[in-house]
Amino acid sequence: MLVNILWPVVPAAIAIYFAYFARRDLPVWIFSLNYIAMVPSANLLGFAGGELAKKLPKVFGVLLETTLTSVVEIVLFMVLLHKDEGGNLIPVIQAAILGSILANLLLCLGLCFFFGGLRREHQSFHEAVSEVGTGLLLVAGFGLLIPSAFHSALSGSPSNINISPEELSHSTLVISRSTSVILLVAFLMYLFYNLRSHHSIFDEVLELDEHQDEDREKELKRAKLTLTECFLAIVISLVCVCMSAVFLVQEIESIVHERNVSDNFMGLILVPLVEKAAEHLTAIDEAWDNQINFALFHCLGPSIQTAFLNAPLAVLVGWGLGKDMGLNFEIFMIVLVVLSILVVGNFLRDGKSNYLEGGLCVLIYVIIAVTTWYYPKVEPQGIKLAHHEA
């Protein structure tokens, strides 16, 4: 509820965007206000999605809620793809894909473990949630790593390998598109597993979690949104989120080039923090109330959806638009994601969490953020090829 105090920023962000046409010196204000404006909008989207989820079967409701909040990320990717010219925004999209996974795994899950562990010695979660989640994330990390590893292994052009930079880039792009199709198939399998073949296990786990809710009595007495109110709130929040996303993206290039902000820091840290605000707030609140399995769903689920749906969707839409959007990430960044998956998987292995594990995850995220701030600007692949040809 405290996030609602930011709602006055939403009309201010819209107004200053249109004022920009009269004055051309407001990119930082437009970016900052729309960045803040996305938080209450995303929070309303998450709240309305949560209210709608309570009227549906448990697992289906949680997955639908995750999908609704992922709309923010998808909108940002699509707008960035549309705005891209000559590959200038591709590094931002690629960094945002990895940053979204990192934000959920290290920051969000870490804060859930930390705040949930402050009120109790430890929290126990069901192995079905943690094992399936970490297994899927390992597969996702492997799938996202392959194109980058392929390009990195051959970019040195050893003497016994005859391949030009143009051929290497084309082959990497084909591998990225093929991998994206395969990841989408994996996502459909994940949905079938959760919603059809094994839904009873997860329904039982989440039902038990509801009874462990320390605010259960207060929650039952609270007035609920009707179905019509849920849809109305979702539509309003989606409109606000999409407007803020479009206005914010308009200024990313200006911030990156004129303010010397690394495109990796923009994509890996700044963009994921605001696009995942709703899920983070929801998950932390659930962990605080001892609903740790719900919190895990809201941390691992969005990461899985980003890797298996949102990233492949960005690649395939870029393909349709004639953009060279691929999964050839900076090797430094993709290694960070794979290592983070391994660290989180190790913490989840014993089925228990405490504030120490949560604090360590957050500290790792802070280290990554500091390092990314000093990471040099990435030159788009198309520009590299042009220089090479010259």
Side-chain angles (χ1 to χ4, degrees):
M1 290 179 62
L2 292 175
V3 177
N4 290 331
I5 63 175
L6 297 176
W7 270 105
V9 179
V10 176
I14 296 172
I16 200 170
Y17 173 79
F18 289 105
Y20 178 63
F21 292 104
R23 295 181 57 191
R24 308 296 293 181
D25 57 346
L26 302 172
V28 175
W29 279 99
I30 293 173
F31 180 87
S32 302
L33 287 178
N34 281 285
Y35 190 87
I36 297 171
M38 286 188 71
V39 177
S41 303
N43 186 55
L44 176 60
L45 181 61
F47 174 73
E51 289 288 293
L52 180 60
K54 293 173 184 175
K55 306 178 190 303
L56 302 169
K58 295 288 185 297
V59 178
F60 179 71
V62 172
L63 289 175
L64 178 63
E65 185 181 357
T66 302
T67 302
L68 283 173
T69 49
S70 287
V71 169
V72 182
E73 184 171 86
I74 293 172
V75 168
L76 280 170
F77 290 171
M78 296 305 110
V79 176
L80 282 167
L81 276 173
H82 178 72
K83 286 277 295 178
D84 174 69
E85 294 179 4
N88 60 323
L89 292 177
I90 296 296
V92 177
I93 302 172
Q94 292 174 328
I97 291 170
L98 301 183
S100 176
I101 298 173
L102 282 175
N104 279 293
L105 288 184
L106 294 178
L107 181 63
C108 183
L109 190 65
L111 290 174
C112 287
F113 285 177
F114 181 79
F115 285 106
L118 287 178
R119 303 176 65 181
R120 45 197 72 86
E121 185 177 345
H122 66 265
Q123 290 180 296
S124 300
F125 38 84
H126 199 279
E127 61 182 11
V129 179
S130 59
E131 287 184 3
V132 172
T134 52
L136 284 165
L137 285 171
L138 281 171
V139 172
F142 183 83
L144 296 176
L145 174 64
I146 291 301
S148 306
F150 174 84
H151 187 274
S152 179
L154 297 178
S155 59
S157 298
S159 57
N160 60 332
I161 297 177
N162 184 19
I163 184 170
S164 67
E166 295 84 356
E167 292 172 331
L168 177 58
S169 294
H170 177 71
S171 298
T172 305
L173 197 58
V174 171
I175 293 172
S176 297
R177 290 165 178 171
S178 303
T179 301
S180 297
V181 174
I182 295 169
L183 289 176
L184 285 175
V185 173
F187 181 70
L188 293 176
M189 291 173 62
Y190 160 72
L191 289 181
F192 186 82
Y193 182 88
N194 277 273
L195 297 175
R196 186 69 179 175
S197 63
H198 290 68
H199 70 93
S200 58
I201 300 174
F202 298 108
D203 281 338
E204 184 180 339
V205 170
L206 297 179
E207 176 112 18
L208 181 62
D209 237 34
E210 280 191 340
H211 291 286
Q212 292 180 344
D213 184 5
E214 295 182 355
D215 284 343
R216 180 172 172 78
E217 293 185 6
K218 182 180 178 181
E219 179 68 20
L220 290 173
K221 293 178 181 178
R222 182 179 61 81
K224 307 293 191 299
L225 293 182
T226 65
L227 189 62
T228 303
E229 290 170 339
C230 286
F231 284 118
L232 183 62
I234 288 172
V235 170
I236 292 173
S237 57
L238 277 176
V239 170
C240 292
V241 163
C242 291
M243 289 180 66
S244 294
V246 171
F247 299 161
L248 181 147
V249 166
Q250 299 277 353
E251 307 307 325
I252 282 182
E253 193 173 0
S254 173
I255 299 296
V256 168
H257 292 290
E258 296 179 13
R259 301 291 172 171
N260 297 320
V261 177
S262 166
D263 45 12
N264 273 304
F265 184 80
M266 175 69 71
L268 201 73
I269 305 298
L270 290 183
V271 173
L273 281 180
V274 69
E275 73 183 23
K276 295 293 183 182
E279 282 148 345
H280 293 181
L281 293 170
T282 299
I284 294 168
D285 181 60
E286 288 167 343
W288 178 259
D289 294 334
N290 204 31
Q291 293 182 287
I292 191 62
N293 288 300
F294 269 105
L296 275 180
F297 258 99
H298 283 114
C299 292
L300 301 182
S303 298
I304 292 168
Q305 194 156 32
T306 295
F308 284 96
L309 177 64
N310 300 356
L313 193 62
V315 172
L316 297 179
V317 171
W319 186 9
L321 295 175
K323 307 291 178 69
D324 291 342
M325 172 64 200
L327 299 178
N328 180 23
F329 303 102
E330 283 292 301
I331 199 69
F332 171 72
M333 301 298 174
I334 188 63
V335 166
L336 288 179
V337 171
V338 173
L339 290 177
S340 299
I341 291 172
L342 294 175
V343 168
V344 170
N346 187 61
F347 284 159
L348 295 176
R349 188 172 55 186
D350 62 352
K352 295 180 181 179
S353 66
N354 54 60
Y355 72 87
L356 174 62
E357 293 176 344
L360 292 175
C361 285
V362 175
L363 291 177
I364 293 173
Y365 187 79
V366 173
I367 293 172
I368 291 173
V370 173
T371 305
T372 307
W373 175 260
Y374 290 100
Y375 200 84
K377 183 181 183 303
V378 178
E379 195 175 50
Q381 192 67 30
I383 296 177
K384 288 182 181 179
L385 290 177
H387 290 339
H388 178 81
E389 291 170 356

